[in-house]
């Protein structure tokens, strides 16, 4: 009975090793390919332009607000208590509005980035899938996560598939 158990364990080990060796694994540098895609470069430029435009608008509004605060500080001694209270409430409301505009701009930028990056990632993933099927790879692993990189590198094949 003991010999049968040992024999069964040995057979299972050989089968497991055989299945593991039958799998074909490759690595690729996902970030390098993604950065090389013209769509990524265009998206980055578009987002930079949008961000700069929004930043410039916010800067102008912040400067106008700062001037208004400085004017209030200069005029404060001449104002009555009621006028100071009203002006301070107005300035606080404007500051909150400025912060809300900044938050909205950040949200808009994030939404634009998410919307722009999805088709790029989908295109890259389809190319990776095509290369994997064409070369018989069971797995393609991102090379940046590996400590030791041995075996086939699918990066050139994926770049070729994308026309890069």
């Amino acid at each position: 009975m003991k010999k049968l158990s040992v024999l069964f364990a040995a057979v299972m080990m050989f089968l497991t090793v055989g299945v593991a060796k039958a799998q074909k694994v490759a690595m690729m540098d996902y970030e390098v390919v993604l950065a090389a895609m013209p769509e990524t470069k265009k998206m980055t430029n578009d987002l930079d332009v949008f961000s700069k435009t929004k930043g410039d608008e916010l800067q102008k509004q912040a400067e106008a607000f700062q001037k208004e605060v400085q004017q209030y500080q200069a005029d404060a001694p001449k104002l009555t208590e009621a006028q100071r209270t009203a002006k301070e409430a107005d300035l606080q409301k404007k500051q909150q509005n400025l912060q809300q505009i900044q938050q909205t701009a950040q949200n808009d930028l994030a939404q634009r980035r998410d919307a722009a990056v999805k088709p790029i990632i989908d295109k890259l993933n389809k190319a990776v899938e095509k290369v994997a099927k064409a070369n018989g790879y069971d797995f393609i692993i991102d090379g940046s996560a590996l400590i030791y990189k041995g075996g086939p590198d699918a990066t050139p094949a994926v770049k070729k598939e994308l026309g890069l």
Side-chain angles (χ1 to χ4, degrees), residues 76-130:
K78 302 177 212 168
L79 301 175
T80 65
E81 186 65 33
Q83 289 173 324
R84 271 196 301 272
T85 304
K87 187 64 175 174
E88 287 172 2
D90 181 49
L91 288 173
Q92 189 173 27
K93 186 176 180 182
K94 287 181 179 182
Q95 182 180 21
Q96 290 172 348
N97 186 33
L98 192 60
Q99 290 172 343
Q100 181 64 35
I101 291 170
Q102 182 180 14
Q103 184 65 40
T104 301
Q106 289 173 348
N107 290 342
D108 287 349
L109 181 63
Q111 287 175 350
R112 283 178 182 246
R113 184 182 319 114
D114 291 345
V117 82
K118 186 180 180 338
I120 297 169
I121 296 295
D122 289 345
K123 181 179 179 179
L124 177 54
N125 288 341
K126 285 178 186 173
V128 170
E129 185 178 338
K130 245 181 165 176

Side-chain angles (χ1 to χ4, degrees), residues 2-37:
K2 190 172 183 179
K3 286 183 179 183
L4 187 59
S5 311
V6 172
L7 180 63
F8 180 72
V11 168
M12 290 306 292
M13 256 194 329
F14 282 119
L15 286 176
T16 305
V17 169
V19 169
K21 288 193 181 227
Q23 294 178 338
K24 197 169 173 189
V25 178
M27 73 93 186
M28 72 170 261
D29 199 336
Y30 198 85
E31 290 296 320
V32 167
V33 177
L34 187 63
M37 293 175 68

Side-chain angles (χ1 to χ4, degrees), residues 44-58 105 109 112-113:
T44 302
N45 288 338
D46 291 348
L47 290 175
D48 287 346
V49 168
F50 177 78
S51 180
K52 183 173 177 4
T53 302
K54 287 292 183 181
D56 290 347
E57 290 173 15
L58 284 169
L109 181 63
R112 283 178 182 246
R113 184 182 319 114

Side-chain angles (χ1 to χ4, degrees), residues 64-83:
F65 174 74
Q66 192 61 36
K67 285 180 183 177
E68 196 170 341
V69 168
Q70 290 172 348
Q71 183 65 43
Y72 164 72
Q73 290 171 341
D75 295 343
K78 302 177 212 168
L79 301 175
T80 65
E81 186 65 33
Q83 289 173 324

